[in-house]
Amino acid sequence: MAYDKELYQQVAIEYEEIRRHDRQDLEERRQKVFANVPELEEIENEIRGAGLKIIKLAATGTGDRTERVYALRDRQKALLVRRKALLLENGFAEDELSMRYLCDKCQDTGVYNDRDCDCFKRRLIIKAFEKSNLSLQLRDQSFKTIDMELYSKDVDENIGISPYDYMSNIVGICRKFVYDFDTDNTNLLFWGAPGLGKTFLSTCIAKELIKEGHSVIYETAYKIFSMLEDFKFKRTEDLEKLRGQTQKLYECDLLILDDLGTEFSTNYTNAALFDILNSRLIANKKTIINTNLSPEELAKKYSERVFSRIIGSYRALKFIGNDIRLLKSVNK
Ligand SMILES: [Zn+2]
């Protein structure tokens, strides 16, 4: 799975900026060093001059050029030794007159052995996270950081098993959702009282998929509805930007719609939202909906006919147990 072109280009531009900064940084250090130790500027010039002569000889020289190249190389070596000694004597670092890279492996080109360098891949992931709207705090969460001990192992009479087993099962379904993302058609509806881990688990899913190169957008229903309204009534300076943002709700590989049911909705926003959900279904793009309402309550709030068509392709998972946010703060 490859990241989309736009993301790739944005990171490539960041690398151009990094290299520009690298060069500027070196130039500033050079000026500072030369102002303090003028001899170092002469040495630098001579090293460069010898280098140019070597290149020229290789291209045009005849006869004794090998001897002359060796002589120039020896001279360069001696100059480098002198340069190092002078730098250290004057309290500078050994590499004060050399390029310093964020990544020594690819020298900030982003390419290593004809492939994307690891540093480039990391930046792609960071960029994809920024675009997903996932909060910084949540970006640290993953399936590995889920603390299942927060769920009771005592059998809950209402469900017949312990919340621990129940939630383990839900986590398993979420992991499978990630695993089968490209081949399965299931969407997920997480419902239940606040604080039971709906947003947390959808973030874990998002994180895994972003790492694999999928585009993910996380947005609250409230925000989506206000975006749609702004777009309709042109309540923005930058309509094109808003159009792009709205378009992404249709196009991203995974849309996480958080907190559905709490927003103030109108016939227009409802229709627009269901157009997004329906279009995603038709295009076989996955959606996760988080809501505090039960599927029945959702059906009541929105048009039953539209809703039932949508919900048929979602796997509804009820979240149960105690408010783990409260438990976490008590345990801290
Ligand atoms: Zn690199």
Side-chain angles (χ1 to χ4, degrees):
M1 183 74 205
Y3 287 95
D4 71 52
K5 223 168 132 191
E6 186 189 327
L7 199 73
Y8 215 86
Q9 278 168 350
Q10 284 175 355
V11 176
I13 289 169
E14 276 185 21
Y15 272 75
E16 278 172 28
E17 183 57 30
I18 291 169
R19 288 194 297 277
R20 200 189 60 74
H21 180 267
D22 288 344
R23 289 191 296 272
Q24 190 186 332
D25 173 53
L26 172 64
E27 194 47 40
E28 280 166 15
R29 278 183 277 120
R30 281 164 59 90
Q31 296 310 326
K32 198 174 160 198
V33 168
F34 298 160
N36 278 282
V37 193
E39 189 189 340
L40 276 167
E41 185 165 15
E42 290 160 26
I43 291 175
E44 278 284 289
N45 289 337
E46 206 185 331
I47 292 174
R48 191 176 300 170
L52 289 174
K53 276 183 204 159
I54 291 171
I55 293 168
K56 219 169 160 188
L57 276 172
T60 61
T62 49
D64 64 343
R65 67 177 178 180
T66 318
E67 285 298 311
R68 282 160 67 194
V69 167
Y70 279 138
L72 283 165
R73 290 230 167 99
D74 285 345
R75 178 67 185 146
Q76 269 187 324
K77 271 184 209 156
L79 288 166
L80 286 169
V81 171
R82 175 77 185 136
R83 183 177 85 166
K84 181 178 163 185
L86 270 176
L87 281 169
L88 295 174
E89 264 170 40
N90 288 281
F92 291 109
E94 208 175 301
D95 69 342
E96 201 73 31
L97 293 171
S98 311
M99 287 289 271
R100 285 176 185 161
Y101 300 106
L102 290 180
C103 176
D104 289 325
K105 216 163 118 185
C106 68
Q107 301 198 330
D108 296 348
T109 59
V111 181
Y112 182 70
N113 278 347
D114 291 331
R115 296 193 146 178
D116 291 340
C117 184
D118 288 340
C119 70
F120 193 89
K121 288 185 203 154
R122 275 198 301 276
R123 270 177 194 266
L124 274 174
I125 292 173
I126 291 168
K127 198 98 208 141
F129 264 109
E130 282 169 12
K131 293 197 151 217
S132 72
N133 302 325
L134 287 164
S135 71
L136 272 170
Q137 178 198 357
L138 287 172
R139 286 177 209 172
D140 294 332
Q141 313 289 9
S142 73
F143 283 121
K144 285 186 194 123
T145 64
I146 296 174
D147 187 359
M148 288 306 294
E149 298 307 315
L150 293 171
Y151 295 96
S152 163
K153 287 184 181 165
D154 299 331
V155 173
D156 182 322
E157 282 176 11
N158 292 319
I159 50 171
I161 56 170
S162 71
Y164 178 90
D165 287 337
Y166 186 87
M167 285 310 292
S168 299
N169 184 35
I170 287 188
V171 171
I173 292 168
C174 291
R175 282 179 178 272
K176 193 168 179 309
F177 179 82
V178 171
Y179 191 76
D180 294 337
F181 192 77
D182 293 320
T183 51
D184 195 82
N185 290 332
T186 315
N187 298 284
L188 296 175
L189 176 79
F190 293 165
W191 69 281
L196 300 179
K198 299 191 294 291
T199 304
F200 180 92
L201 266 180
S202 30
T203 308
C204 294
I205 291 174
K207 190 169 181 180
E208 294 298 321
L209 291 173
I210 287 173
K211 279 198 283 187
E212 287 174 14
H214 292 284
S215 57
V216 178
I217 301 274
Y218 167 92
E219 203 62 271
T220 61
Y222 173 81
K223 180 75 195 300
I224 291 182
F225 278 60
S226 71
M227 270 164 69
L228 295 169
E229 286 261 313
D230 288 349
F231 191 65
K232 185 189 178 199
F233 298 110
K234 303 192 171 37
R235 283 190 301 227
T236 171
E237 298 277 297
D238 195 346
L239 206 60
E240 271 315 299
K241 189 179 169 199
L242 192 58
R243 187 196 302 278
Q245 283 173 338
T246 315
Q247 196 60 29
K248 286 207 165 71
L249 300 174
Y250 286 88
E251 291 171 353
C252 62
D253 297 334
L254 173 67
L255 173 67
I256 299 173
L257 177 60
D258 206 10
D259 250 354
L260 182 68
T262 53
E263 74 290 336
F264 175 76
S265 56
T266 62
N267 283 342
Y268 165 72
T269 52
N270 284 349
L273 173 71
F274 286 110
D275 183 52
I276 293 173
L277 296 179
N278 204 35
S279 302
R280 294 186 61 79
L281 278 181
I282 292 165
N284 200 14
K285 301 207 172 265
K286 309 287 173 55
T287 308
I288 296 177
I289 296 176
N290 295 333
T291 176
N292 298 341
L293 304 178
S294 69
E296 295 74 29
E297 287 168 321
L298 280 176
K300 233 179 264 170
K301 184 170 164 72
Y302 303 99
S303 143
E304 178 112 39
R305 186 178 58 82
V306 178
F307 189 77
S308 59
R309 193 173 74 231
I310 300 277
I311 215 62
S313 60
Y314 279 73
R315 180 164 188 182
L317 297 173
K318 185 184 181 187
F319 279 58
I320 55 153
N322 301 312
D323 188 329
I324 58 166
R325 286 182 302 201
L326 291 179
L327 285 175
K328 274 182 184 170
S329 54
V330 168
N331 291 345
K332 261 178 197 166

